[in-house]
Amino acid sequence: MSTAQQAPLQHKQTSDLKAILKLTGPILLTQLAQVGMGTIDTVMSGYVSTRDLAAVAIGSAVWTPIWLFLAGVLVALSPAIAKARSGLASSPAIQALLASGISLGLITGALLGSITAGIAFALPYWIADAHTAITAKYYLLAIAVAMPVSGIFLALRFHAEAVDQAHHVTRIMLTGLLLNIPVNAALIYGWGPLPELGGIGCGIGSAIVVCFMTWALQWDCRRYRSEQSIRMMAVYQSSVISHVKSLSRVGLPIGVAIFFEVSLFTVIALFLTDLGPVVVAGHQVALNVSSVTFMLPLSLGMALTVRVGHYIGEQNRESVNSLNPARQCAWLGVKINLLLALFNAAVILSGAGLIANLYSPDPAVVSIGTALLIYAAIFQIPDAIQIAAAGALRAYEDTFVVMLITFLSYWVIGFGTGWYLAYGLSEPMGAAGFWIGLIAGLSCAAICLLLRLRIVSHRYPGIPTV
């Protein structure tokens, strides 16, 4: 490539870097606020009783993967709107996509809410302690009622992020996070005339806050992102059904892939219970640290979906682009996430002992946690790469193959290797074996998704074939 060609390419990469990081920041804050709400529920219920804390923990373990599946389905809205916004689509077409996303969120949320309610009614048959069972049941029922509203909120959120207004969502999420504290306290501890509901109050409080955030985001959408001349119901009556089918085709594999990943960690935690509470606690230290650091590459992957989708829309409009900016942007995102992963890994490795001490005063837990954090540091690298590659592939709407790769990598290679190392050797490795399995599975996913990204980005329309 000549010097004259390098100059505009370097300028474009700098512009892409700024755009990706600008979008990543508010998405990251939104994700952290979401995690913070779960943390508030856990901490506040713990001050009521250990049984209330256990009930909320059980309920969270049930609804979290279900909610993440819902979010995975609706994240398909981001690349669809980003491409429509950068291409030839008119504003009414974008509004039709939003209406379709809201419809899909409402329908899928209602179905998942029904499943959540069914599990809630079954909990008293599975949990021996009556107080824990009843608290977990009604906590989950409150979450189930709010699940369709969550679907609407997620559709509005991904629409805002796709049109570069992610900071609007962040403001509302942070407001909801702050509101969650007094609402929870009033219901959990029984302020004024309200009864003391304990852990059940966490579920009702969370449902109220979700409804508030959905109303606030809908108001924000009508004010800043919807033309006054467009009536939502008029848009709704147009081509919504076809859009819903299209979004479902792209989004369902994303939701299933996310469910595969989340359920893998849940199953591993269940298997480790046989090794005793100290091992489980040490594993939880490493897992919690990885969950926190995971938010940064995850947020960048979501931003990458929007940015690559933007370029795909432009390529579809222009038909010919010798640089193929979508592909260039996708690989830039992979490189950024790799650098972030190396930084996270260095921080974890250098402070493993200190980090483990923050979680527990028990020397045995600290010792196991410190050892597992070494694996967690290595885990960062393939995890960040596969997140970026998957984020770019979502923009290309290549989600079914990603789902297959995820299943084979996580459950066949990752879990299979982990179980063998943890239990199948003559000298079993315990929790460390599962972490090595996770690293192997994620490394396989990273390699396969990079290869898939290379194939899809080269064959996608935008560069003419001769």
Side-chain angles (χ1 to χ4, degrees):
M1 182 180 296
S2 66
T3 305
Q5 289 175 315
Q6 287 178 347
L9 178 59
Q10 291 174 350
H11 175 74
K12 187 189 77 64
Q13 288 183 333
T14 302
S15 176
D16 283 341
L17 177 61
K18 291 179 180 178
I20 292 170
L21 294 179
K22 181 181 178 181
L23 186 55
T24 298
I27 292 177
L28 175 60
L29 288 175
T30 299
Q31 293 296 121
L32 292 175
Q34 185 69 53
V35 173
M37 288 184 185
T39 303
I40 288 172
D41 281 357
T42 302
V43 172
M44 296 184 77
S45 62
Y47 279 92
V48 179
S49 72
T50 301
R51 292 190 296 175
D52 282 80
L53 174 60
V56 171
I58 292 169
S60 296
V62 172
W63 73 257
T64 298
I66 295 174
W67 186 89
L68 288 172
F69 174 83
L70 176 62
V73 172
L74 291 169
V75 80
L77 194 61
S78 287
I81 290 178
K83 283 186 284 189
R85 182 170 174 249
S86 300
L88 295 173
S90 61
S91 184
I94 295 175
Q95 292 299 313
L97 277 170
L98 172 58
S100 303
I102 291 173
S103 300
L104 181 61
L106 186 61
I107 294 168
T108 309
L111 291 174
L112 294 177
S114 300
I115 293 172
T116 305
I119 296 173
F121 281 110
L123 285 179
Y125 299 99
W126 298 339
I127 301 172
D129 182 76
H131 178 85
T132 302
I134 294 299
T135 302
K137 172 185 174 181
Y138 287 103
Y139 168 81
L140 260 187
L141 285 175
I143 298 295
V145 170
M147 197 70 75
V149 182
S150 293
I152 297 174
F153 175 82
L154 287 166
L156 292 167
R157 171 194 166 178
F158 292 130
H159 167 252
E161 291 174 356
V163 297
D164 294 332
Q165 292 189 13
H167 56 286
H168 290 243
V169 183
T170 302
R171 286 201 296 264
I172 291 170
M173 282 293 298
L174 292 176
T175 302
L177 178 64
L178 294 175
L179 182 64
N180 200 33
I181 298 173
V183 171
N184 266 10
L187 293 166
I188 293 171
Y189 309 125
W191 286 1
L194 296 174
E196 182 179 336
L197 297 175
I200 297 172
C202 286
I204 298 174
S206 296
I208 292 172
V209 171
V210 166
C211 291
F212 163 77
M213 292 192 303
T214 303
W215 171 83
L217 191 53
Q218 186 270 343
W219 176 86
D220 184 87
C221 178
R222 291 181 67 87
R223 181 173 181 181
Y224 296 105
R225 292 180 293 281
S226 294
E227 294 182 6
Q228 295 297 322
S229 60
I230 298 174
R231 295 179 178 272
M232 185 60 72
M233 289 307 298
V235 173
Y236 182 86
Q237 293 170 0
S238 60
S239 57
V240 168
I241 294 178
S242 62
H243 283 311
V244 167
K245 290 180 179 179
S246 177
L247 291 173
S248 300
R249 177 181 58 80
V250 176
L252 283 173
I254 299 174
V256 172
I258 292 174
F259 184 80
F260 284 155
E261 183 174 2
V262 175
S263 59
L264 174 62
F265 286 101
T266 301
V267 169
I268 288 175
L270 291 174
F271 269 88
L272 288 177
T273 56
D274 292 339
L275 301 179
V278 174
V279 173
V280 172
H283 168 74
Q284 188 61 33
V285 170
L287 182 59
N288 188 257
V289 171
S290 296
S291 298
V292 173
T293 57
F294 173 76
M295 291 300 164
L296 184 54
L298 173 65
S299 301
L300 192 141
M302 295 173 74
L304 191 60
T305 300
V306 174
R307 189 65 178 171
V308 174
H310 168 86
Y311 277 126
I312 291 173
E314 285 190 344
Q315 287 178 202
N316 288 342
R317 180 183 63 197
E318 296 169 4
S319 296
V320 176
N321 194 317
S322 60
L323 289 177
N324 196 337
R327 185 175 72 242
Q328 299 289 343
C329 182
W331 288 102
L332 175 64
V334 172
K335 293 173 185 176
I336 297 171
N337 247 11
L338 176 58
L339 291 175
L340 292 174
L342 291 172
F343 173 78
N344 286 339
V347 171
I348 294 172
L349 285 173
S350 61
L354 178 62
I355 294 170
N357 271 290
L358 295 174
Y359 281 84
S360 175
D362 187 339
V365 173
V366 171
S367 176
I368 294 175
T370 301
L372 293 181
L373 279 171
I374 296 174
Y375 296 108
I378 301 171
F379 172 93
Q380 304 295 311
I381 298 171
D383 195 27
I385 293 172
Q386 65 96 16
I387 290 170
L393 286 166
R394 282 199 296 268
Y396 287 102
E397 298 186 356
D398 187 66
T399 56
F400 183 77
V401 174
V402 172
M403 180 187 70
L404 296 179
I405 290 173
T406 300
F407 174 75
L408 292 173
S409 299
Y410 291 173
W411 280 97
V412 177
I413 296 175
F415 182 76
T417 302
W419 187 90
Y420 176 75
L421 294 176
Y423 295 107
L425 296 175
S426 56
E427 295 184 9
M429 298 180 67
F434 273 118
W435 276 93
I436 294 173
L438 287 172
I439 293 170
L442 284 171
S443 298
C444 176
I447 293 170
C448 291
L449 290 174
L450 287 177
L451 292 173
R452 183 65 183 175
L453 178 59
R454 179 180 175 83
I455 293 170
V456 172
S457 63
H458 272 280
R459 79 183 185 194
Y460 198 84
I463 292 183
T465 57
V466 292

